[in-house]
């Protein structure tokens, strides 16, 4: 875990997600100013189209990285992110350009997130994997921690300023990756992957398919929250973009502390299922607490509780997938990113729809789904133990 490459990809992830987080408090406000009558629908639509493109292309990027290496894909992804932020900032109330910007962002998102997960899997042993994924989660958490707060501050200049800042930060990240990032996948491994091209769905089999569905549900509920939280806050306690930034800042701090401190130091190989279960229960509690939110401080507390749960779930699920997969790490990580993207396609759409029925319905349903996901975890453990027992019998014969 002393490999400096790990800390370089952490820096790349952190700066990328700072740029991503910068836009969170202001995008709904820009859409609201452009089309106030359909703002909620367009917010859900833009979040969904971004993730739909990412869902389709993340496994393509992951498989391509298995064949030509991780570094060139990561470089292309970071540069594409910069272009998407710049286009949104220049859209000037043009909904078509806003949607085009989100398509462009989705196109390149898998080239960063899923391929960096594969990169970390390349340079860590199975025993170190959970710690490595904890550092990945911490980096993303720090990005989301700093980004929305900065975005809220920059929105005091103009609503477009955060997008220009995000584009500039992505360009700086590209420079860091270009000069410091080394390739993680040996030439021999790339040659083998070129000879054997694997579909993403070969990773969706056996006990792991239940983990992939669990990962989808976790992201699905999170995306529904993200799509509706600002509108919920406006209705309940007249929240401003700056206050939304503060809410996500606090939530990000909590999540980053959990992933960088507890997950990295305390959760070892074999402990992951136990902490996934704890995380699901805590996330459900955060959702249910949001139902009672009528003030900024209570909403922030509820989001922080939810953030603790997510901080436990995500690195543990990712670690288990990379440990148990029999497909290439790029394919497995690409499918994982696809399930994440699918959750971000359907979550905003259903969350926005439920919000129009009742303000609290997205959070009530989110809490129930987190508790229901415990059944998926239970089924994974049953099948995985059965598979391990069968492997041991074969080895003894």
């Amino acid at each position: 875990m002393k490999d400096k490459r790990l800390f370089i990809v952490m820096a790349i992830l952190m700066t990328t997600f700072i740029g991503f987080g910068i836009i969170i408090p202001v995008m709904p406000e820009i859409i609201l100013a452009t089309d106030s009558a359909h703002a909620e629908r367009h917010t859900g639509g833009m979040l969904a189209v971004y993730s739909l493109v990412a869902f389709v292309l993340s496994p393509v990027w992951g498989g391509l990285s298995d064949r030509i290496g991780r570094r060139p894909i990561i470089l292309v992804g970071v540069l594409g992110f910069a272009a998407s932020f710049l286009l949104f900032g220049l859209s000037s109330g043009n909904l078509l350009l806003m949607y085009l910007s989100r398509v462009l962002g989705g196109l390149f998102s898998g080239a960063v997130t899923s391929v960096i997960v594969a990169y970390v899997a390349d340079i860590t042993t199975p025993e170190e994997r959970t710690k490595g994924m904890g550092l990945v989660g911490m980096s993303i958490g720090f990005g989301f921690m700093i980004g929305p707060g900065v975005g809220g501050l920059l929105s005091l200049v103009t609503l477009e300023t955060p997008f220009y800042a995000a584009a500039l930060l992505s360009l700086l990240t590209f420079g860091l990756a270009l000069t410091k990032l080394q390739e993680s996948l040996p030439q021999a491994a790339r040659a083998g992957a070129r000879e054997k091209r694997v579909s993403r769905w070969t990773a969706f089999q056996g006990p792991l398919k239940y983990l992939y569905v669990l990962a989808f549900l976790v992201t699905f509920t999170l995306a529904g929250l993200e799509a509706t939280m600002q509108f919920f806050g406006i209705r309940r306690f007249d929240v401003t973009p700056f206050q939304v930034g503060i809410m996500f800042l606090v939530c990000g701090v909590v999540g980053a502390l959990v992933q960088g401190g507890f997950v990295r130091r305390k959760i070892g190989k074999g402990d992951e299922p136990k902490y996934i279960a704890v995380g699901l229960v805590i996330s459900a509690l955060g959702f249910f607490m949001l139902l009672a939110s009528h003030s900024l401080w209570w909403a922030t507390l509820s989001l922080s509780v939810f953030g603790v749960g997510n901080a436990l779930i995500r690195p543990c699920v990712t670690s288990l997938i990379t440990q148990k997969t029999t497909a290439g790490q790029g394919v497995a990580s690409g499918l994982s990113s696809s399930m994440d993207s699918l959750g971000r396609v359907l979550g905003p759409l259903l969350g926005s729809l439920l919000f129009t029925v009742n303000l609290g319905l997205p959070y009530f349903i989110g809490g129930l789904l987190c508790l229901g996901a415990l059944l998926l975890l239970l089924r994974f453990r049953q099948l995985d133990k059965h598979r391990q027992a069968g492997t041991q019998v074969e080895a003894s014969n």
Side-chain angles (χ1 to χ4, degrees):
M1 294 295 290
K2 295 180 180 179
D3 194 326
K4 68 177 183 179
R5 292 177 296 176
L6 184 59
F7 296 99
I8 292 171
V9 295
M10 284 174 60
I12 293 170
L13 268 181
M14 193 181 306
T15 51
T16 298
F17 277 89
I18 287 172
F20 192 86
I22 280 174
I23 72 172
I24 288 175
V26 292
M27 192 174 81
E29 291 286 337
I30 291 178
I31 297 170
L32 193 62
T34 304
D35 186 356
S36 59
H38 306 99
E40 294 161 10
R41 184 189 306 170
H42 284 304
T43 299
M46 287 184 197
L47 291 172
V49 74
Y50 173 97
S51 300
L52 178 62
V53 176
F55 168 72
V56 173
L57 291 177
S58 285
V60 177
W61 290 119
L64 188 60
S65 78
D66 279 340
R67 297 193 294 276
I68 69 171
R70 316 297 188 203
R71 183 177 182 272
I73 305 300
I74 293 170
L75 289 173
V76 168
V78 173
L79 200 58
F81 256 144
S84 71
F85 291 136
L86 181 61
L87 180 60
F88 201 105
L90 295 171
S91 63
S92 299
N94 187 314
L95 283 171
L96 179 60
L97 287 180
M98 290 183 191
Y99 275 103
L100 183 59
S101 164
R102 302 307 290 161
V103 169
L104 194 62
L107 173 65
F108 291 104
S109 67
V112 178
T113 51
S114 68
V115 177
I116 281 185
V117 167
Y119 189 105
V120 172
D122 291 340
I123 64 175
T124 55
T125 64
E127 290 73 23
E128 296 175 320
R129 193 69 47 76
T130 300
K131 294 179 180 179
M133 296 307 164
L135 288 173
V136 167
M138 182 187 71
S139 303
I140 294 173
F142 268 123
F144 274 118
M145 172 187 76
I146 298 169
V150 173
L153 283 172
L154 292 175
S155 71
L156 299 176
V157 181
T158 68
L159 290 178
E160 291 78 18
T161 301
F163 291 90
Y164 299 138
L168 177 60
L169 192 58
S170 293
L171 287 175
L172 294 175
T173 304
F174 175 78
L176 173 66
L178 184 64
T179 56
K180 299 294 184 181
L181 187 66
Q182 299 175 2
E183 181 54 59
S184 65
L185 193 63
Q187 183 63 43
R190 283 178 261 167
R194 283 193 290 268
E195 293 172 4
K196 182 182 179 182
R197 299 195 178 191
V198 182
S199 165
R200 80 176 96 172
W201 298 111
T202 57
F204 190 78
Q205 59 183 333
L208 277 183
K209 64 187 176 186
Y210 293 96
L211 277 187
Y212 281 117
V213 176
L214 188 155
F216 160 77
L217 286 178
V218 170
T219 303
F220 174 82
T221 56
L222 170 63
L225 183 152
E226 290 174 342
T228 57
M229 189 65 232
Q230 188 154 349
F231 295 111
F232 178 83
I234 290 171
R235 300 280 186 90
R236 283 284 181 92
F237 46 90
D238 295 323
V239 75
T240 66
F242 176 72
Q243 290 172 332
V244 171
I246 295 301
M247 288 168 61
F248 280 101
L249 173 65
V250 174
C251 182
V253 169
V254 172
L257 288 175
V258 171
Q259 290 185 324
F262 186 81
V263 173
R264 185 170 69 90
R265 298 176 184 277
K266 301 296 184 182
I267 301 180
K269 185 179 179 183
D271 294 334
E272 295 93 349
K274 175 174 63 177
Y275 287 102
I276 292 171
V278 172
L280 287 169
V281 173
I282 293 175
S283 293
L285 175 62
F287 270 124
F288 295 142
M289 288 174 63
L290 269 174
L291 296 173
S293 294
H294 288 276
S295 64
L296 179 64
W297 77 268
W298 184 262
T300 303
L301 176 63
S302 304
L303 276 180
S304 298
V305 171
F306 174 81
V308 170
N310 257 244
L312 289 173
I313 297 167
R314 288 179 173 277
C316 290
V317 169
T318 304
S319 177
L320 278 179
I321 288 172
T322 58
Q323 289 177 43
K324 304 287 185 179
T325 186
T326 55
Q329 291 295 347
V331 173
S333 299
L335 178 58
S336 182
S337 184
S338 278
M339 300 305 287
D340 184 78
S341 297
L342 183 61
R344 291 186 180 278
V345 172
L346 300 178
L349 295 177
L350 183 60
S352 298
L353 178 63
L354 293 174
F355 185 83
T356 61
V357 177
N358 183 279
L359 300 185
L361 197 54
Y363 316 127
F364 179 71
I365 297 297
L368 291 182
L369 288 176
C370 285
L371 294 178
L374 289 168
L375 298 176
L376 294 170
L377 179 63
L378 177 62
R379 184 59 176 160
F380 162 77
R381 295 210 65 181
Q382 290 172 339
L383 291 178
D384 189 53
K385 287 180 179 178
H386 180 72
R387 182 188 61 79
Q388 289 179 357
T391 302
Q392 290 173 357
V393 170
E394 290 177 6
S396 63
N397 293 331

